[in-house]
Amino acid sequence: MSVRMAPRLPLIFLLMIHGVSGAGWGVSYRHSHICALKSSSVIMSCTYTYPTEYQIMKVFWTKNPVKGEEFPDLSEDPEYSQRLQYLGDKQQNCTIRLSHVTQKDEHMYCFRFITDNPDVKWLGYPGVTLTVTDLQVEAPERVTEGHNVSLTCKSSCTLTDRATFIWYRNSQPLTERRDGNNQLLLQSVRREDAGRYSCALHGHSYISPAAHLNVTYAPKNVSVSINGSGEIVEGDSVTLSCSSDSNPHNVSLTCKIRREDAGRYSCALHGHSYISPAAHLNVTYPPKNVSVSITGSGEIVEGDSVTLSCSSDSNPPALNFSWFKENQSSAVGSGQSFSALQSGRFYCEAHNQHGSQRSDAVTVTVHPGADRNVIVIAATSGGLFIIIIIIIIIICVKPSRFRGKTPESRDTEIQYATVQFHRKKDTKRPEDDECQYDDIRVHQPDAAER
């Protein structure tokens, strides 16, 4: 039965699951939806029919047709002309190949043919909806050695063509693992299985971005290292590294060092009980907290001396010390100890190879000197202490008369009294001319001395 189409009638869109037809006219598509891999070639298979009394003058494919508008020929579109290949004919087959597809190619594609009657044209609507997907590897962030792990090659839509997946580790194909499904199962994972995994489809050039599989395992040979060589001076930046042949295998800590940080350092990896041998961190620094100490009192009598000692906190210990008197530019002594013989304010300066620091000053006071006398007094035992008292009184009046006196006879029982005294400096004032005694010592001879 022939079908006549009235000239200039509007196009009628007939909807079917796999094609469009009507009274001998029609377009049939093998797939109404196609999910294709990025960069691949897509085959859109179709057939068409028309009454035999018509002759086909032109066939072409268009995209996203809109009723009432012109339908552009994709083979004349610069975006498609180099990628679109018509594989059909002008009789029944309307198949095309679209190569190097990208997400920009996601449209509805329809076949259109024009007969020898200018008013008789046909559009196969709805056509083929194309979705373009890439591949992504889904893997756990980390897995422990000895456990099983599954990696999945995922796409945003179900690929239309039957897919055979190929897996890569560190860009090298895992030839022993070509799975029909989209999963890669690693049983009893070893540390050597760690790396970057990607997937592809057999027969396609596109390879997914890589996902990193991290395999953790227990630590061995844990050690601490301190960066840099030579001395570590306070204020330097120091890096302490804890390393092992485990994964994770290296943890570092960088800090600006202080003298309080000196000591022995060990490390252990989180979740593991093994502790590394200790490494010693020695921090050197210039003298600090320099101070002067006085042996005894800072007040002395003229002719005596007082010892001053200098101490500091430094590493290495200060070995050079200089002594200064305030308001004098030149050093008055050296060494850790210094004997002061005169009044004044004294301070020390401690040195090591990293610097120096001076102490606060201390005061030394020297008082005017006084005459000192020691007299040996002898007396019989009968009235010894009375005699001593009398002699002290006499000595205070004329001490020089008794200097060097000794007992006149050793035949009597004699006891000795030693009196040590001093007279205040003569000031030419009678009230200052007095005597003070320091102590009295008594000695009683034994039988051999008598």
Side-chain angles (χ1 to χ4, degrees):
M1 182 176 67
S2 63
V3 176
R4 292 193 177 189
M5 301 186 68
R8 302 188 181 278
L9 289 177
L11 292 174
I12 300 174
F13 292 82
L14 302 177
L15 305 181
M16 295 183 66
I17 295 178
H18 293 294
V20 180
S21 66
W25 300 84
V27 177
S28 178
Y29 301 101
R30 182 177 179 184
H31 301 289
S32 60
H33 292 83
I34 294 178
C35 175
L37 181 64
K38 181 180 178 181
S39 298
S40 68
S41 294
V42 176
I43 301 293
M44 299 183 191
S45 300
C46 80
T47 58
Y48 64 102
T49 60
Y50 55 93
T52 57
E53 64 266 29
Y54 291 93
Q55 184 179 353
I56 301 300
M57 302 302 295
K58 184 178 181 180
V59 293
F60 63 92
W61 284 72
T62 189
K63 66 178 182 180
N64 302 328
V66 177
K67 185 177 180 180
E69 296 184 4
E70 289 296 325
F71 306 126
D73 184 350
L74 291 182
S75 64
E76 298 174 357
D77 187 333
E79 290 188 11
Y80 290 89
S81 59
Q82 300 299 318
R83 299 186 296 130
L84 186 66
Q85 182 182 6
Y86 186 74
L87 303 178
D89 52 35
K90 290 184 178 181
Q91 296 174 356
Q92 283 186 315
N93 192 345
C94 51
T95 301
I96 59 169
R97 175 190 290 117
L98 181 62
S99 61
H100 301 96
V101 295
T102 67
Q103 271 77 15
K104 292 173 61 177
D105 296 324
E106 294 185 329
H107 303 289
M108 176 185 284
Y109 296 87
C110 298
F111 175 68
R112 180 166 175 78
F113 61 90
I114 299 174
T115 69
D116 53 351
N117 185 339
D119 295 324
V120 179
K121 304 175 183 179
W122 193 267
L123 176 70
Y125 185 91
V128 179
T129 300
L130 175 64
T131 303
V132 179
T133 184
D134 59 5
L135 300 177
Q136 299 288 335
V137 174
E138 187 177 77
E141 184 175 342
R142 62 175 52 87
V143 62
T144 303
E145 187 175 36
H147 291 191
N148 297 338
V149 63
S150 177
L151 287 73
T152 304
C153 187
K154 300 188 70 175
S155 58
S156 59
C157 58
T158 302
L159 293 167
T160 302
D161 295 335
R162 183 176 181 277
T164 299
F165 288 86
I166 301 174
W167 289 90
Y168 297 82
R169 181 176 65 233
N170 300 329
S171 301
Q172 299 299 315
L174 298 176
T175 55
E176 72 279 8
R177 302 305 300 262
R178 181 175 293 181
D179 295 346
N181 56 29
N182 62 338
Q183 287 191 323
L184 174 65
L185 178 61
L186 300 177
Q187 294 182 322
S188 191
V189 172
R190 303 167 300 164
R191 63 189 71 183
E192 293 81 10
D193 292 325
R196 300 181 61 81
Y197 285 80
S198 53
C199 64
L201 292 182
H202 181 60
H204 295 268
S205 60
Y206 176 81
I207 300 177
S208 73
H212 186 261
L213 179 64
N214 187 19
V215 180
T216 62
Y217 47 92
K220 296 179 182 179
N221 303 322
V222 182
S223 63
V224 174
S225 61
I226 302 173
N227 78 325
S229 59
E231 289 186 319
I232 297 175
V233 182
E234 185 176 32
D236 288 349
S237 290
V238 174
T239 299
L240 301 176
S241 298
C242 182
S243 59
S244 72
D245 62 356
S246 65
N247 182 22
H249 64 277
N250 196 351
V251 180
S252 296
L253 169 67
T254 300
C255 58
K256 194 170 186 179
I257 210 70
R258 305 170 301 165
R259 63 182 129 162
E260 296 86 357
D261 296 325
R264 297 177 62 81
Y265 286 81
S266 298
C267 72
L269 298 183
H270 180 69
H272 300 280
S273 60
Y274 181 83
I275 300 177
S276 73
H280 181 66
L281 175 61
N282 182 35
V283 181
T284 60
Y285 50 91
K288 299 179 183 293
N289 303 322
V290 181
S291 62
V292 174
S293 60
I294 303 176
T295 302
S297 171
E299 297 189 7
I300 58 173
V301 177
E302 187 176 18
D304 289 345
S305 65
V306 65
T307 299
L308 308 180
S309 297
C310 187
S311 61
S312 71
D313 174 19
S314 63
N315 186 24
L319 298 179
N320 297 320
F321 299 88
S322 301
W323 291 90
F324 296 87
K325 186 176 182 181
E326 279 192 343
N327 303 321
Q328 291 186 13
S329 58
S330 300
V332 297
S334 61
Q336 194 164 5
S337 298
F338 171 69
S339 295
L341 302 173
Q342 54 183 303
S343 296
R345 288 177 58 77
F346 297 88
Y347 65 88
C348 72
E349 197 171 78
H351 306 257
N352 70 5
Q353 62 263 46
H354 301 298
S356 62
Q357 189 183 65
R358 58 169 286 182
S359 69
D360 293 332
V362 297
T363 301
V364 174
T365 303
V366 178
H367 294 289
D371 295 335
R372 291 182 178 271
N373 300 276
V374 178
I375 299 179
V376 178
I377 305 170
T380 59
S381 60
L384 174 62
F385 293 105
I386 297 175
I387 293 173
I388 290 173
I389 294 173
I390 295 172
I391 291 174
I392 291 173
I393 296 173
I394 296 173
I395 289 172
C396 289
V397 179
K398 296 293 184 179
S400 60
R401 296 180 182 178
F402 295 92
R403 292 176 183 166
K405 296 297 182 179
T406 58
E408 296 180 356
S409 173
R410 301 177 62 90
D411 296 334
T412 61
E413 184 178 356
I414 297 176
Q415 294 181 345
Y416 298 90
T418 302
V419 180
Q420 183 173 348
F421 68 94
H422 67 271
R423 178 185 295 277
K424 288 186 175 180
K425 188 173 182 180
D426 191 359
T427 61
K428 305 302 183 182
R429 296 186 301 177
E431 61 271 22
D432 290 337
D433 190 15
E434 63 182 43
C435 174
Q436 294 180 352
Y437 64 87
D438 291 335
D439 58 8
I440 300 175
R441 300 183 186 85
V442 179
H443 174 67
Q444 183 174 354
D446 57 19
E449 294 178 350
R450 294 186 183 134

